[in-house]
Amino acid sequence: MKDLVKIRTALISVFHKENLDRILELLARFDVRLISTGGTKSYIEEKAYSVESIENLTDYPSILGGRVKTLHPKIFGGILARRQKESDLKQLKEYNINEIDLVIVDLYPFEETLASGADDQTVIEKIDIGGISLIRAGAKNFNDVLIVSGRHQYEELIALLEKGKGVSCLADRKKFATEAFHVSSHYDAAIFNYFNSEDEVSALKISENKGRVLRYGENPHQKGYFFGDLDSVFEKLHGKEISYNNLLDIDAAVNLISDFNETTFAILKHNNACGLASRPKLVYAWKDALAGDPVSAFGGVLITNQAIDKETATEINKIFFEAILAPAYTQAALEILKQKKNRIILILKRIRLPEKIYRSALNGILMQEADMKTDREADMKTVTKKAPDVAEITDMEFANILVKHTKSNAIVLAKNKQLFASGVGQTSRVDALQQAIQKAKHFNFDLNGAVMASDAFFPFADSVEIAEKEGIRTVIQPGGSIRDQESIDYCDQHQMTMVFTGTRHFKH
């Protein structure tokens, strides 16, 4: 195994030609022989550098509309030959194959083409065959070959060439090979997921190119990482580094606010809403959201679906919070909110939320479809003698969105599009209800005429009985208990309204 390898021959086959000039200049300076084909060869010639055609080297033309260009023993033999193995060198000489020391490849843009909405045939034509094979061959033989697997490595390659004066070392070759297998595995995962869009093959392929180290995980003694493209979700304008727990709250906040169309403000703590209100004017939505639980709001994550103005920012600035997300801010609002140097201020972009959810479990991964169901009036089946009026229907829709985004067992109490209180993450539904009632009373809410939403059915009539004694007159729940009739009968006996949606919204 040789540590240092003089680069004598380089094969270049790239889709994107930008930023290639400096590399060509350095390779020419170090008298590196260039081999290329198609558009890359034409580009190199336009820059007045000497380059040999792969077709001339292989004595075989590019065929099938360019689908087959580099797939030839004279190319792959030159890459895969082990320089320290006498039999390999003998065969190179026997078949007149030249060693290739550097391979520069930039794959067809499969993911970009897919994201553009192109038709299937166009997408399939962007599945690279020769390029991916060159990458794998070069990476496999990193002992002798330096493989550059994309334009994102051009700057690093330039630095390597300048420092080594056309010579590569083993440590660099192995590093580039590691990146090459990352590129090839990510590329193959994207193609597999495209073909397996209907989940016909029971297999999971997840690959993220972007990753960041977080300060720590949920607690300081745990390491934490995020893999994904946060820049496509929000733009950070101000504040400290976003933490693992911040990201969990932001994820819950973004999913919650996406279900509201009216002007809405929400405050979240530990992934649950502790305050939320919908109002015609943003500042009123903020004030009523804060009134839901001004204690828990301390250190929370705030989110709204409207641009934040100076008046609203002035009110928000009165409390301590970790982060705020909004689609926009006025300049005056930003000047107010930026007064705290650590406060995280984010512009929320329009995004398509993931349709699948993953989490680790035991020695594997659980996957499920995201809960995209938002129950509306058309989903409500009145099961009591008394039917809901328009205002009650509006509040039931509001409360049911909230309970959908609240950890189970969950109960939400709401009125006039304002969250009064939630019972969150309790081991029994009655406990969740009693928690919500106690909290609502603590903050001086009048529960008379309020709506109760439950994420799952009531196993007994005790919950509606407790609710009725507190003045709650309207109930929305999935239904489905073998004892549903007991709850229905109690509601009828006490002139309450109850609707079933038929959809459970457990969240664990």
Side-chain angles (χ1 to χ4, degrees):
M1 186 183 298
K2 286 177 62 178
D3 184 16
L4 300 179
V5 172
K6 173 73 171 74
I7 299 172
R8 293 184 173 84
T9 302
L11 186 154
I12 307 175
S13 178
V14 297
F15 184 86
H16 296 99
K17 315 300 188 295
E18 311 91 83
N19 304 318
L20 199 58
D21 295 18
R22 178 60 177 154
I23 294 172
L24 294 173
E25 178 187 331
L26 288 169
L27 294 177
R29 182 194 302 176
F30 300 126
D31 296 320
V32 177
R33 175 191 181 195
L34 302 182
I35 303 171
S36 191
T37 185
T40 308
K41 176 176 176 291
S42 298
Y43 180 86
I44 295 172
E45 288 173 332
E46 288 171 9
K47 298 298 177 179
Y49 294 106
S50 176
V51 57
E52 295 180 41
S53 168
I54 285 177
E55 289 82 357
N56 289 341
L57 190 71
T58 61
D59 291 325
Y60 219 90
S62 171
I63 62 172
L64 306 180
R67 280 189 164 196
V68 180
K69 291 181 287 190
T70 59
L71 297 170
H72 194 281
K74 284 201 172 183
I75 300 299
F76 282 87
I79 296 171
L80 288 166
R82 293 156 291 190
R83 282 31 166 197
Q84 310 305 311
K85 195 174 179 66
E86 195 62 37
S87 59
D88 282 12
L89 297 178
K90 183 179 179 181
Q91 285 191 318
L92 290 185
K93 186 175 182 180
E94 179 182 355
Y95 295 107
N96 192 27
I97 298 174
N98 295 293
E99 296 175 5
I100 297 174
D101 313 296
L102 169 64
V103 178
I104 304 176
V105 179
D106 183 37
L107 298 172
Y108 290 166
F110 174 80
E111 287 182 282
E112 293 89 335
T113 305
L114 180 61
S116 73
D119 60 83
D120 285 345
Q121 189 55 46
T122 301
V123 171
I124 288 170
E125 286 304 317
K126 287 297 183 287
I127 297 176
D128 206 312
I129 302 301
I132 205 78
S133 301
L134 291 170
I135 285 175
R136 292 179 63 84
K140 178 176 181 176
N141 200 26
F142 71 90
N143 284 331
D144 303 299
V145 177
L146 178 65
I147 174 65
V148 178
S149 52
R151 53 181 169 165
H152 63 286
Q153 291 185 296
Y154 284 1
E155 289 300 320
E156 194 173 359
L157 174 63
I158 289 169
L160 184 154
L161 291 172
E162 289 177 335
K163 181 180 178 181
K165 301 187 185 307
V167 175
S168 70
C169 71
L170 182 61
D172 285 332
R173 294 194 299 274
K174 187 171 183 179
K175 179 183 176 183
F176 274 70
T178 302
E179 176 64 18
F181 282 120
H182 163 60
V183 168
S184 67
S185 64
H186 178 82
Y187 198 76
D188 284 341
I191 295 169
F192 169 79
N193 289 328
Y194 166 70
F195 278 93
N196 198 44
S197 60
E198 301 298 325
D199 295 321
E200 294 174 348
V201 177
S202 182
L204 177 63
K205 308 289 182 187
I206 300 175
S207 180
E208 288 291 348
N209 276 328
K210 294 186 177 181
R212 64 175 68 186
V213 179
L214 304 175
R215 296 201 307 271
Y216 49 80
E218 284 188 278
N219 302 291
H221 65 278
Q222 297 170 268
K223 291 182 180 180
Y225 306 85
F226 177 83
F227 295 96
D229 184 12
L230 288 179
D231 293 335
S232 68
V233 181
F234 52 70
E235 177 187 351
K236 185 180 177 186
L237 301 180
H238 183 77
K240 64 183 179 180
E241 183 183 346
I242 299 173
S243 72
Y244 184 99
N245 291 329
N246 289 153
L247 288 172
L248 289 176
D249 281 330
I250 289 168
D251 175 70
V254 170
N255 278 275
L256 172 62
I257 206 70
S258 69
D259 272 344
F260 287 93
N261 298 317
E262 296 179 75
T263 297
T264 300
F265 222 119
I267 307 168
L268 286 89
K269 197 75 172 286
H270 296 291
N271 312 157
N272 295 293
C274 58
L276 189 145
S278 296
R279 295 289 182 264
K281 190 174 180 181
L282 186 62
V283 68
Y284 298 144
W286 162 252
K287 288 180 177 180
D288 286 344
L290 180 62
D293 188 346
V295 175
S296 295
F298 183 87
V301 167
L302 319 181
I303 191 166
T304 180
N305 53 9
Q306 300 297 321
I308 294 181
D309 53 26
K310 180 180 179 180
E311 182 181 13
T312 307
T314 301
E315 293 298 320
I316 294 170
N317 198 45
K318 294 176 181 178
I319 74 163
F320 167 75
F321 60 90
E322 283 279 317
I324 185 167
L325 296 94
Y329 305 82
T330 66
Q331 188 57 42
L334 281 176
E335 290 173 2
I336 294 168
L337 295 174
K338 286 183 177 180
Q339 290 174 6
K340 304 292 185 182
K341 68 175 184 178
N342 287 331
R343 182 179 283 164
I344 299 168
I345 303 174
L346 307 172
I347 293 179
L348 179 62
K349 299 179 180 180
R350 288 184 176 273
I351 61 165
R352 182 177 178 179
L353 294 171
E355 296 178 358
K356 294 178 180 178
I357 297 174
Y358 308 91
R359 64 190 295 180
S360 61
L362 301 175
N363 62 345
I365 297 173
L366 284 170
M367 185 276 281
Q368 67 171 346
E369 295 177 344
D371 186 357
M372 299 291 191
K373 174 69 173 175
T374 301
D375 302 302
R376 301 297 183 186
E377 181 181 358
D379 301 301
M380 299 178 190
K381 177 185 177 183
T382 303
V383 294
T384 51
K385 294 176 182 178
K386 187 175 183 230
D389 59 28
V390 174
E392 289 170 332
I393 290 171
T394 299
D395 275 344
M396 283 193 293
E397 287 185 347
F398 176 91
N400 211 55
I401 290 173
L402 268 165
V403 86
K404 164 188 167 181
H405 292 278
T406 303
K407 293 294 178 75
S408 301
N409 286 310
I411 293 289
V412 163
L413 306 179
K415 185 179 179 181
N416 298 328
K417 298 187 217 176
Q418 181 185 17
L419 172 61
F420 277 12
S422 298
V424 178
Q426 297 301 305
T427 52
S428 80
R429 203 149 299 281
V430 167
D431 285 348
L433 174 57
Q434 289 176 334
Q435 180 193 44
I437 291 170
Q438 181 183 6
K439 195 171 184 180
K441 288 181 174 180
H442 179 74
F443 293 112
N444 300 313
F445 284 109
D446 180 4
L447 290 174
N448 283 290
V451 163
M452 174 172 69
S454 176
D455 63 333
F457 65 66
F458 297 115
F460 304 100
D462 49 2
S463 291
V464 292
E465 181 179 352
I466 294 169
E468 185 269 334
K469 293 185 186 308
E470 298 294 338
I472 296 166
R473 314 303 305 165
T474 309
V475 180
I476 180 169
Q477 60 137 321
S481 168
I482 59 173
R483 304 180 76 160
D484 274 345
Q485 194 59 48
E486 293 178 15
S487 295
I488 295 170
D489 290 344
Y490 186 91
C491 288
D492 283 338
Q493 291 164 13
H494 296 83
Q495 293 75 53
M496 296 174 69
T497 299
M498 185 161 63
V499 303
F500 288 176
T501 63
T503 302
R504 189 181 73 184
H505 292 289
F506 270 167
K507 184 181 180 188
H508 296 104

